[in-house]
Amino acid sequence: MANDLEKGQILTINPMGVFVDDVPVTRYNGEKIENIDHFSRCLIDDIIEVQLMQSDTFGKYGIAGNPKPAIDGRYVWMRARSEDNIWSDWLFRANYSSLEKGVSFLPRWVITDASVMTSRRRPDFRTAIMGSIANNKIRLLADMER
């Protein structure tokens, strides 16, 4: 895991808890995660798993991309998996570069951030996630019919 920590990590939230590489964690990219006890708030309706990534890949809010984990990244990307086992694309969530200590705040706030973005409090982002899942489902079904 030391090598993973050098390049950055993907945080996974599912009904079993909060993980990096299938190992339960309370820290993300070296920082203690705040509100980790509230991880289940990220999982509502048909969202059964959420992944978040601290990255140095810039993007546009709610738009899909191909980020890579980076321990010193100032951007948050996330994706979700539906109950029918289809993932959304990685969607750009936020830019923490305007915060003085964005690199340390970002990994602390990931659980809180994910629970807000998957909730009905942010219908714009939730709609983007669910739309991406729906598009991916259509593509998968079309591929199966070929």
Side-chain angles (χ1 to χ4, degrees):
M1 194 133 96
N3 190 23
D4 289 339
L5 188 54
E6 291 170 11
K7 67 180 180 184
Q9 303 169 319
I10 294 174
L11 190 75
T12 299
I13 302 163
N14 64 36
M16 303 302 291
V18 181
F19 304 88
V20 170
D21 294 330
D22 296 325
V23 177
V25 295
T26 57
R27 302 178 79 75
Y28 175 62
N29 284 341
E31 296 289 336
K32 186 176 190 281
I33 301 170
E34 293 186 14
N35 297 316
I36 198 164
D37 295 338
H38 302 295
F39 73 90
S40 62
R41 292 182 184 170
C42 303
L43 309 172
I44 62 166
D45 298 336
D46 57 351
I47 295 176
I48 63 166
E49 189 166 41
V50 173
Q51 289 187 329
L52 295 109
M53 173 191 316
Q54 181 176 1
S55 178
D56 58 8
T57 305
F58 180 75
K60 291 186 179 181
Y61 179 78
I63 303 297
N66 296 307
K68 300 286 185 247
I71 193 167
D72 60 351
R74 292 186 178 264
Y75 309 111
V76 179
W77 289 80
M78 62 187 289
R79 68 180 186 162
R81 183 166 60 106
S82 67
E83 61 189 7
D84 50 2
N85 206 31
I86 298 173
W87 283 98
S88 73
D89 295 313
W90 282 104
L91 302 176
F92 184 80
R93 158 57 191 115
N95 177 347
Y96 278 77
S97 65
S98 62
L99 298 175
E100 183 179 329
K101 297 182 179 182
V103 170
S104 63
F105 285 143
L106 188 163
R108 292 180 200 175
W109 295 345
V110 290
I111 298 288
T112 303
D113 204 42
S115 66
V116 170
M117 299 315 288
T118 57
S119 76
R120 288 186 178 82
R121 291 184 285 172
R122 288 304 298 265
D124 52 339
F125 198 80
R126 188 172 194 289
T127 298
I129 288 175
M130 299 313 289
S132 179
I133 287 171
N135 288 340
N136 288 343
K137 184 175 185 175
I138 290 167
R139 279 197 301 259
L140 287 171
L141 291 172
D143 288 347
M144 289 172 54
E145 290 176 358
R146 290 183 198 166

